[in-house]
Each structure stands twice: as structure tokens, then as C-alpha cells.
Amino acid sequence: MPHLVLIVEDDDQIAAPLVRTLEREGYAVERVAAGLPAVERVRAGDVDLVLLDLGLPDVDGLEVCRRIRANGYLGGVLILTARGGELDRVVGLDVGADDYLAKPFGLAELLARARALLRRSAPAVDAPAAVSAPAPAPAVDHGTSLRIDTGSRRVWVGADELAVTAKEFDVLALLHSSPGAVFTRERVMDEVWDENWFGSTKTLDTTIGRLRQKLEDSGTSSRIVTVRGVGFRLESEPADA
């Protein structure tokens, strides 16, 4: 079963070639021309990737991104927009987008970024074992209540699943791969954002900030600690324990 890509674009001249290209690459493609229908379509389920324009006729694309994340959407969100400044990119990523591509862009680059996000997004739709499994697959467990299943890209605190975006999962999984070890900012940026990122590292700090809040809200003893001037590490016990 192919991945389903939702194109949120009000300009027919831009949407039409996107639809043709993605369908030619084997994706299932749906397109909506406004923000509120996009929120409802994502809420209905089965969307693996959202290609999101910001200049929509009803609500701004940033609000669309904010709403679908608030509704628990964990798939990839790639913003496609003419707002290409650094601050614009930071704001887009801060509201929950995984990547940002300024117009005009090349279709080859768009497809490469889409493939990267789909690899990192939640469980592939063509993985029958993951769909039919009655319980979470065996997870890496380092003795804390925080568990990360890298196969299905899901995070658990006790019996509860923690909702995280694709980038949040990548950062947390990397830190969790060696609890207590310090990961430099450069290493995290290289392994999570790789060649697709060319702007400020402020987005790393905002991603870490969101993860800290989610971990705190979940009640787990695990937390992300900043090592000043170096990077971050994941600790499984409070600092004053």
C-alpha cells in the first residue's frame, strides 16, 4: 500500500505538477486547497505526509500545522512556501513542521525531502506486522519507565504512549541510545537534521524544549540535561536524587 501524501495548496499551477510528480513516483496523493479541510482530512487518518503551503485562503498554514499537531498527528509535515527567511523557517519548525522548503524549489529536492521524512515518520503503512501486532514491539529499555521502540518509532512511558513529532523522536531516540552520554550539538544536528538543514541551530533548542515539557508532563524520571557549551544528555533520575 503506497504512502498517502496530502498536498495543501490553493494555487492550481503549483498543485497540479506536484500531484502528477508524486503519483508518478508511486504515492497516493490527495489535494485540498484550504487549511480547514486539511485539518479535517488529517484528523480522519491515514495521511503519512503533509506538504503544506502557508498562504491559504481561510487560515494560515502555520495554524494548520499547529492544529494537526495538537490533534496528535505524528506524520511528516513539510512546509512549502515563499516565506524563505530564517525567522520564517524557525517559526514554521517551532509550530511542529519537520522540514521547510522555500519556493521556488526543484521537484528532485522535494522528492528527496519527502522520502527522508517518510523514512523517519511513524510506522510504514506497508508493514503488516506492525499493524496487526496486539502489543508494542520489544523496546529498548535502559531500566527507566521511558521506552523507545525504534522499529515502530513510538515512545512509551509506562503503559502510555508519548506523542512526539518525527524530529522529536529522532532527537530522543539518539539521546536514549546511550543514556548518560553527552551528545554534542553538532552531532545531534548532523544525525537528525543532516544535509536538509542549513539554517540556525535554534530549532534544536526549541525541539529540546518541547521534549523536556512532554517528558515532564508524562511523569517519567527521564529528562534531558544541557551540558553547557557542549550539548545534551539523557538522565534517568532527577539531578537531586
Side-chain angles (χ1 to χ4, degrees):
M1 185 174 179
H3 288 290
L4 174 59
V5 180
L6 178 66
I7 298 174
V8 187
E9 172 62 67
D10 64 326
D11 188 335
D12 293 339
Q13 299 300 314
I14 296 175
L18 283 178
V19 170
R20 287 196 300 271
T21 299
L22 290 164
E23 287 181 338
R24 191 166 56 241
E25 292 296 316
Y27 297 107
V29 183
E30 295 183 20
R31 179 239 178 161
V32 294
L36 295 179
V39 174
E40 292 308 310
R41 179 59 191 89
V42 172
R43 191 202 300 269
D46 298 328
V47 175
D48 299 298
L49 176 65
V50 178
L51 304 184
L52 178 62
D53 182 30
L54 294 186
L56 299 170
D58 50 356
V59 295
D60 190 85
L62 294 175
E63 180 60 22
V64 173
C65 187
R66 188 178 295 109
R67 292 189 189 189
I68 65 176
R69 290 305 190 197
N71 291 339
Y73 178 65
L74 300 178
V77 177
L78 171 56
I79 289 178
L80 305 175
T81 180
R83 308 176 198 170
E86 179 179 354
L87 180 59
D88 295 310
R89 296 197 300 272
V90 169
V91 171
L93 294 165
D94 282 352
V95 299
D98 298 295
D99 200 358
Y100 200 106
L101 186 57
K103 299 175 181 176
F105 53 81
L107 289 176
E109 182 178 6
L110 169 68
L111 290 173
R113 295 192 183 209
R115 287 193 296 269
L117 287 178
L118 288 169
R119 283 197 301 270
R120 295 170 179 173
S121 297
V125 295
D126 56 353
V131 173
S132 60
V140 177
D141 191 342
H142 295 283
T144 74
S145 60
L146 176 68
R147 296 179 294 120
I148 296 181
D149 183 348
T150 55
S152 66
R153 296 181 60 83
R154 301 171 79 179
V155 180
W156 302 86
V157 176
D160 299 323
E161 184 171 4
L162 187 67
V164 294
T165 67
K167 292 297 186 188
E168 290 167 358
F169 179 89
D170 290 336
V171 171
L172 189 57
L174 178 62
L175 299 180
H176 192 260
S177 68
S178 184
V182 177
F183 289 78
T184 65
R185 295 176 62 87
E186 292 76 15
R187 179 177 175 186
V188 178
M189 290 300 297
D190 288 346
E191 296 199 20
V192 175
W193 278 267
D194 59 54
E195 72 278 4
N196 291 330
W197 182 249
F198 49 87
S200 168
T201 59
K202 180 182 176 183
T203 189
L204 170 59
D205 297 306
T206 59
T207 302
I208 290 288
R210 290 197 304 268
L211 275 174
R212 281 177 171 148
Q213 188 61 54
K214 290 182 178 181
L215 291 174
E216 181 179 345
D217 293 345
S218 73
T220 179
S221 60
S222 297
R223 64 175 192 160
I224 298 173
V225 175
T226 297
V227 180
R228 188 177 299 277
V230 182
F232 308 94
R233 67 169 176 261
L234 185 68
E235 293 184 347
S236 59
E237 296 292 340
D240 57 356

